[in-house]
Amino acid sequence: MKKDKGVIEIKVMTVFGTRPEGIKMAPIVKELEKRKGIESVVCITAQHREMLDQVLNLFEISPDYDLNIFSKGQTLTEITTRALLGLEEVIEKEKPDVLLVQGDTTTVFSGALAAFYQKTKIGHVEAGLRSGNLYSPYPEEANRKLTGILTDFHFAPTERNRQNLLREDYSDSKIFITGNTVIDALKYSVKEDYTFELEKLNQLDYNKKRVILLTSHRRENIGEPMKNIFTAVRDIVEKYEDVELVFPIHLNPKVRDIAKTILGKNDRIHIIEPLDYEPFTNLMAKVHLVVTDSGGLQEEAPTLGKPVLVVREETERPEGIESGTAKLVGTSYEKLYKELDTLLSDQAEYEKMAHAVNPYGDGNASERIVDVIEENLKL
Ligand code: UD1
Ligand code: UDP
C-alpha cells in the first residue's frame, strides 16, 4: 500500500540499469519513499536483467517503468541508443523535477543525456570519481566525465571526489559530500550467523581454510589481463593446500570462456553463479581476502576489514589504498602471484591490511542526498 505522502512538492525519478547501480540506488529509493511531499518514480533500463532483478527483489522495489533493453552480447551503442529512446518517452510523460543517476555505467550516461535533452535537472550520485585514464576503466571513466558536464547536483562520496570536481572547474555550490550509499546498503545486508542457501558455501570451513573471493568482469581486462589474473590465482591455490577459491562468475560469456579453460580443474576452486547481493556480502564478511577488478568491492572490502588486491592498472578509489586495506596490483601474472604469496605466507603483512576502515561514509548517504534535494527543490 502506498504511504500517505501529503501534498506532492517534488517528483524525483531514479534511473538505473545494472547490479551495482541497483544496490547503491536502493537505499535512496527507500529514503524517497519515506519522505512526505516527495513522489518517487523508479525507471530501470534493465541493462542487466537477472543480475538487477535479484537486487529489486531483495530491496522490494517495484519499478514504475522497465525499459527492458537487455540483450545478450549487447554493444555499448545498443545500450546507449535503446536507453535514450526509452527514457525520452518516460521523462516526457512524467516530467520529474529531478532525475537521479548513480555511478558510471552506460545507463548513467544515457540517463543524464536523456534528461538534459528535456532540460530536466540531474543529480549524479557517486560523482567525482576519476582514474585519470579515459580507457581504464573503459568506458566508465568517460561515462563519469560526460555525466558530470550535464549534472546540477554532484553527490560526491568523499572530499577527494569533491577536489576532483573542483579541479575540473565545477562550482563548489553544486557539490555535496554525502558518503557512498554502498555503505547504507551494506548495513542493510550483512548479518551475524548468516546461513547460505547454497549449501556449498555453508560447508566451507572459514576458520581452518583460507578462502579467497575472486570477481572479475571489467571490459578492459577481457583477454590477456584476465588470463593472467585467473592463472595466478589458480597457481596460488595449487601452492597452498589450505586455500580455497570462490568465484561467483559474472554472466558475461566472454568472462566465462576464459574462466572455463583456466580455472576448470581443481576441487578447491569453486566457480559458482553470481550470488544475490545478500549472500554475496555475507560471504565477503567471512573470507580471508579478496581479489577483484570491481568498483563496488573496493568499497565494501575495506569496510569489512578484508584485504583486497585490485587487479586493475588504475583506480578511481584511492581511499582504500591510502588506508592500507587495498593494494593496486595491476594485471600481470608475476605481480599478482607475488602479492598473493606474500599475503598467504607473511602473517604480519596480512594483519597490516586486514583492518576495517571506512573511507566511504557512515551509512547515512541516502538521507543526505534526499535532504539536499528537498532543500533545493521544495517549493
Ligand atoms: C556493466 C557496466 C559496468 C559495471 C558492470 C557491473 C557498462 C558499459 N558496463 O558491465 O560499468 O561495472 O555492468 O556488473 O555500462 N549479462 C547477462 N545477464 C545480466 C547481465 C549481464 O546475461 O543480467 C551478460 C550478457 O551477455 C551481456 C554481458 O553480460 O551482454 C555484459 O553485460 P553489460 O551490461 O554489457 O556489461 P557488464 O560487463 O555487465
Ligand atoms: N555483487 C553481488 N553478487 C556477486 C558479485 C557482486 O551482489 O556475485 C555485488 C557486490 O556486493 C557489489 C556489486 O555487486 O555491491 C558490485 O558489482 P560489480 O562488481 O558487478 O560492478 P562494479 O562495482 O565493478 O561496477
Side-chain angles (χ1 to χ4, degrees):
M1 199 176 64
K2 285 228 169 182
K3 192 172 161 244
D4 174 22
K5 303 282 269 175
V7 179
I8 296 300
E9 292 184 70
I10 315 172
K11 189 190 273 197
V12 183
M13 182 184 288
T14 43
V15 172
F16 50 98
T18 65
R19 167 171 72 190
E21 293 162 73
I23 291 165
K24 291 170 170 181
M25 198 66 107
I28 301 178
V29 172
K30 293 283 150 197
E31 189 61 32
L32 290 168
E33 282 171 357
K34 273 198 242 159
R35 301 272 178 122
K36 278 207 169 250
I38 294 187
E39 181 181 351
S40 163
V41 179
V42 175
C43 174
I44 59 166
T45 62
Q47 171 180 335
H48 282 176
R49 192 68 271 175
E50 309 91 297
M51 284 166 64
L52 177 64
D53 290 341
Q54 54 95 4
V55 180
L56 298 172
N57 286 340
L58 172 69
F59 288 94
E60 298 176 335
I61 294 173
S62 317
D64 300 283
Y65 297 91
D66 181 345
L67 304 182
N68 200 22
I69 67 167
F70 173 78
S71 75
K72 277 208 179 312
Q74 56 202 359
T75 65
L76 297 177
T77 309
E78 283 167 342
I79 303 169
T80 311
T81 49
R82 287 186 199 137
L84 266 178
L85 282 170
L87 283 164
E88 177 175 54
E89 215 176 287
V90 175
I91 299 170
E92 219 160 53
K93 178 161 171 237
E94 289 291 339
K95 299 191 175 26
D97 297 298
V98 62
L99 182 144
L100 299 183
V101 287
Q102 192 290 333
D104 53 22
T105 69
T106 295
T107 286
V108 173
F109 169 55
S110 311
L113 188 58
F116 173 72
Y117 282 162
Q118 297 190 50
K119 300 202 173 113
T120 300
K121 284 197 164 49
I122 296 159
H124 184 200
V125 178
E126 201 179 81
L129 280 68
R130 296 290 185 269
S131 72
N133 179 348
L134 218 47
Y135 284 88
S136 172
Y138 172 84
E140 290 82 1
E141 178 79 351
N143 286 339
R144 294 179 191 125
K145 293 183 100 168
L146 292 163
T147 302
I149 292 169
L150 308 173
T151 292
D152 297 276
F153 304 100
H154 303 267
F155 297 113
T158 68
E159 172 60 26
R160 177 187 289 271
N161 304 144
R162 171 172 164 266
Q163 291 299 332
N164 287 341
L165 291 167
L166 292 176
R167 245 192 321 278
E168 289 174 20
D169 284 338
Y170 289 108
S171 157
D172 208 4
S173 63
K174 291 181 170 185
I175 306 172
F176 307 88
I177 299 181
T178 59
N180 197 312
T181 57
V182 75
I183 310 295
D184 305 25
L186 207 54
K187 280 207 316 203
Y188 181 93
S189 86
V190 175
K191 299 178 177 71
E192 278 188 27
D193 302 327
Y194 185 82
T195 309
F196 298 98
E197 228 170 84
L198 186 62
E199 202 36 46
K200 191 190 265 192
L201 296 180
N202 293 324
Q203 279 161 10
L204 280 176
D205 187 338
Y206 300 91
N207 296 318
K208 293 209 181 95
K209 300 280 186 164
R210 293 184 291 177
V211 178
I212 299 176
L213 174 63
L214 168 70
T215 81
S216 182
H217 70 84
R218 294 243 84 80
R219 269 179 162 76
E220 70 276 10
N221 277 350
I222 290 172
E224 278 313 304
M226 205 170 274
K227 287 184 193 160
N228 297 339
I229 296 166
F230 293 171
T231 312
V233 289
R234 181 199 63 198
D235 290 356
I236 279 290
V237 174
E238 280 169 6
K239 175 168 178 185
Y240 291 92
E241 282 190 355
D242 67 332
V243 167
E244 307 258 343
L245 179 83
V246 181
F247 181 14
I249 192 166
H250 194 284
L251 290 176
N252 190 336
K254 292 182 184 155
V255 176
R256 292 182 166 231
D257 286 347
I258 302 173
K260 206 164 56 194
T261 53
I262 298 174
L263 295 172
K265 298 176 200 73
N266 184 312
D267 57 11
R268 282 184 285 113
I269 294 180
H270 313 280
I271 301 185
I272 57 176
E273 288 305 314
L275 284 168
D276 289 358
Y277 175 65
E278 197 177 36
F280 183 79
T281 47
N282 280 283
L283 174 64
M284 201 182 339
K286 291 183 194 298
V287 300
H288 189 66
L289 63 89
V290 177
V291 177
T292 192
D293 62 12
S294 159
L297 265 77
Q298 290 179 63
E299 296 152 348
E300 292 161 344
T303 309
L304 296 170
K306 302 299 170 182
V308 53
L309 299 181
V310 181
V311 282
R312 291 166 54 170
E313 303 302 335
E314 282 95 8
T315 183
E316 61 295 275
R317 293 166 168 94
E319 294 89 345
I321 292 167
E322 281 155 10
S323 71
T325 316
K327 234 182 218 180
L328 188 64
V329 302
T331 57
S332 88
Y333 171 91
E334 290 75 18
K335 185 82 194 318
L336 177 58
Y337 184 91
K338 187 169 154 284
E339 292 290 349
L340 278 168
D341 205 20
T342 305
L343 274 181
L344 291 168
S345 58
D346 184 338
Q347 186 63 17
E349 275 304 307
Y350 177 83
E351 295 299 338
K352 245 183 8 200
M353 287 183 80
H355 51 259
V357 285
N358 193 347
Y360 301 108
D362 58 4
N364 299 314
S366 349
E367 240 177 85
R368 287 190 196 97
I369 289 166
V370 181
D371 284 349
V372 169
I373 292 171
E374 275 190 340
E375 280 155 27
N376 285 273
L377 295 177
K378 263 209 166 151
L379 299 175

